[in-house]
Amino acid sequence: SNFHLHPDVKVSGNEDGKYLLENSGENISIKISGEAVNKTIGINDSVYSAKYGCITKSKKITVIIKEKFPAVVETEIQLL
């Protein structure tokens, strides 16, 4: 799964699935957790297209689950 972010959004996080998104003085916390043991969560490069032919570099949060489904993954989003 991917959480694609607008180019103006700055993202920071750590390996335990907690991320802070910042834009224009506003903050959002995202926590990704669950029973899936064999998972990888990270920040990766992406692109954003506001209109045809206009591509801007951006970031995305990627969740990769490497086990059989069903695998429970929860996403908690808080406005700070």
Side-chain angles (χ1 to χ4, degrees):
S1 297
N2 292 296
F3 295 88
H4 292 272
L5 305 173
H6 188 275
D8 293 343
V9 175
K10 291 184 172 75
V11 61
S12 59
N14 52 37
E15 295 177 5
D16 67 352
K18 294 179 183 177
Y19 296 90
L20 178 66
L21 280 58
E22 302 176 67
N23 183 26
S24 300
E26 301 293 329
N27 296 317
I28 294 176
S29 169
I30 295 180
K31 180 180 177 183
I32 302 168
S33 61
E35 297 174 8
V37 176
N38 193 5
K39 65 181 177 288
T40 303
I41 306 170
I43 301 169
N44 296 301
D45 293 331
S46 187
V47 293
Y48 174 83
S49 179
K51 60 183 179 180
Y52 183 78
C54 182
I55 295 175
T56 306
K57 292 181 181 180
S58 64
K59 296 291 184 182
K60 65 182 176 181
I61 299 172
T62 302
V63 180
I64 300 171
I65 300 171
K66 299 175 184 175
E67 58 188 65
K68 293 184 179 181
F69 286 96
V72 177
V73 176
E74 300 170 346
T75 304
E76 178 183 320
I77 300 173
Q78 289 184 319
L79 302 175
L80 303 176

